[in-house]
Amino acid sequence: MPKNYGLADDIELAEIPAPELPYRPRPPRSYSPPIGLIGCGGISQAHLRAYQAAGYRVVALCDCDAARAESRRAEFYPDAKVYTDPAELLRRDDLEVIDIATHPREREHLIPLALDARKHVLSQKPFVLDLDVGQRLCDLADARGVRLAVNQNARWSPHVAYARLAIEGGLVGSVLGAHLHCHWNHDWIAGLPFDGIHHIILYDYAIHWFDAVHCFMRGRQAERVTASVRRAQGQSARPPLLAQVMIDYADAQATLVFDGFTPVGMHDAIFIAATDGAIDIRGREINAHTVTLYNRDGYATPDLEGSWFREGFLGTMSELLCAIDENRRPYNDARDTLDGLAMCFAAVASADTGQPQVPGAVRRLPER
């Protein structure tokens, strides 16, 4: 049994029943609208696989490469219609929800087109390259009376979902520190388009972890972000694959560590220290974790079902559909994801300048 080292080495904590928390994605009660997907690249497989398993109706697929859209149709939705022009897809009156799974620069003009067509939108992450653009898109969605959500799918990975619900439910008290460490091999990007993104780790990858910190620290504003990146010995990819971040709050802290070139072995971990307990999450890789929750009564290890990719991609769309059905903002509302992006942009700027940055002061993703 784990020991409570804060009291004495010979005092063992008692195992207690794990709190039952609604960490799994919840389908809408009765709302099942026709869905259109714009962008049929590699990540769209995860989207469509989740939607197919849930019984969601994807009736239109769009990509500038017709062959890619045809391939997705053949694999997942044989009755869907294929388009190469997003505007033509958006003119369909029967489509109510649009999943935009393109790269960020393409989304800057696609999201306004969809919102102006009064479609509810699920945007791929990271949401935008400019915080002011993000604010304007959120304002446009409100003006058009539609919902705009972001595919921050880690919010519904079983381990992150359980942890955030435990924090929101007051089960461990106020968070004092959140420490997220990821050790894996991202060198697979060598020679691919991702190889040209200098901050592939801090921006494209770490946005999940910045967003998780935002969820764990909900209601608090980060005051300062300090970050660094460097190349790993032996890596083949062009971008630096080692990165670390320190995030300072008035009365708490967070750290992110990424060993993106770990040729042998993998490890993913989160430790959350709080005033009345702690949450310890460990896994060999991002789809299989053990969660241990500590409080003053003892420790609990919930038997979690599901995986990040399955539940994550199902969760983002399901939450948007539930929000539309229940006439409320979704938990992954685009405006709520801007704080995580602000920390991300500050980290990239800090890594480039060698100086701490204030989240929100860096309005655009620094170009490099």
Side-chain angles (χ1 to χ4, degrees):
M1 290 185 182
K3 292 184 177 181
N4 187 346
Y5 291 99
L7 295 176
D9 287 356
D10 59 350
I11 297 179
E12 293 186 340
L13 294 175
E15 185 171 7
I16 59 177
E20 293 189 10
L21 300 174
Y23 67 92
R24 304 204 71 178
R26 177 174 64 87
R29 287 189 293 266
S30 58
Y31 184 60
S32 181
I35 297 171
L37 172 69
I38 299 177
C40 296
I43 198 63
S44 67
Q45 272 191 317
H47 294 231
L48 294 172
R49 188 175 293 114
Y51 304 162
Q52 185 184 58
Y56 295 156
R57 296 188 296 137
V58 176
V59 301
L61 300 166
C62 181
D63 197 281
C64 59
D65 182 343
R68 286 197 300 201
E70 293 283 1
S71 175
R72 294 290 182 257
R73 174 169 70 174
E75 184 177 2
F76 295 104
Y77 288 94
D79 295 330
K81 185 172 181 179
V82 165
Y83 299 83
T84 55
D85 180 3
E88 185 181 358
L89 179 149
L90 292 171
R91 282 195 290 271
R92 287 185 54 162
D93 291 335
D94 62 321
L95 284 178
E96 298 180 30
V97 176
I98 307 297
D99 181 358
I100 302 181
T102 65
H103 292 291
R105 292 203 182 279
E106 289 84 358
R107 289 201 301 273
E108 284 191 10
H109 76 273
L110 289 173
I111 293 176
L113 283 177
L115 297 177
D116 280 333
R118 287 181 165 74
K119 313 294 187 186
H120 304 286
V121 172
L122 177 65
S123 165
Q124 183 54 275
K125 63 80 197 168
F127 176 36
V128 289
L129 302 171
D130 185 313
L131 296 178
D132 293 329
V133 170
Q135 292 281 7
R136 289 197 294 272
L137 291 175
C138 294
D139 292 342
L140 179 60
D142 290 344
R144 297 292 180 265
V146 293
R147 301 301 181 194
L148 173 58
V150 177
N151 197 338
Q152 286 294 167
N153 45 76
R155 294 190 181 195
W156 282 272
S157 61
H159 63 294
V160 172
Y162 192 91
R164 65 174 173 80
L165 288 168
I167 293 168
E168 291 168 8
L171 300 184
V172 293
S174 181
V175 174
L176 302 171
H179 307 286
L180 297 77
H181 293 190
C182 192
H183 317 276
W184 82 114
N185 193 352
H186 211 64
D187 208 35
W188 62 268
I189 66 171
L192 298 176
F194 291 112
D195 209 14
I197 303 175
H198 180 72
H199 284 295
I200 186 71
I201 299 298
L202 282 181
Y203 172 62
D204 185 75
Y205 192 79
I207 187 58
H208 290 298
W209 281 261
F210 286 112
D211 188 69
V213 169
H214 162 66
C215 292
F216 298 155
M217 298 286 189
R218 186 168 294 280
R220 300 182 185 181
Q221 183 64 48
E223 297 181 343
R224 180 175 61 182
V225 175
T226 307
S228 65
V229 298
R230 55 187 40 79
R231 289 181 58 81
Q233 178 183 351
Q235 74 170 75
S236 298
R238 291 163 55 194
L241 296 182
L242 305 181
Q244 52 189 345
V245 183
M246 293 187 296
I247 305 171
D248 297 321
Y249 293 81
D251 56 358
Q253 63 181 356
T255 59
L256 287 69
V257 176
F258 301 97
D259 291 325
F261 184 62
T262 304
V264 180
M266 298 176 67
H267 185 62
D268 187 66
I270 299 174
F271 188 82
I272 300 167
T275 54
D276 296 312
I279 303 172
D280 187 8
I281 302 172
R282 304 186 187 200
R284 191 185 67 81
E285 46 92 12
I286 63 172
N287 272 315
H289 294 83
T290 298
V291 176
T292 305
L293 183 147
Y294 298 87
N295 62 27
R296 298 186 185 278
D297 295 324
Y299 75 96
T301 305
D303 184 14
L304 301 182
E305 298 180 1
S307 63
W308 181 335
F309 261 52
R310 188 175 67 198
E311 270 64 32
F313 287 92
L314 175 60
T316 53
M317 177 59 80
S318 295
E319 173 60 10
L320 174 58
L321 298 182
C322 285
I324 298 168
D325 189 33
E326 298 162 11
N327 193 26
R328 60 171 174 80
R329 291 191 181 277
Y331 183 75
N332 51 334
D333 184 73
R335 204 180 298 274
D336 184 63
T337 69
L338 293 176
D339 279 352
L341 266 181
M343 287 189 282
C344 175
F345 291 0
V348 171
S350 176
D352 284 345
T353 63
Q355 300 296 320
Q357 302 290 328
V358 177
V362 181
R363 303 302 296 173
R364 291 183 55 83
L365 178 72
E367 295 184 10
R368 181 173 172 181

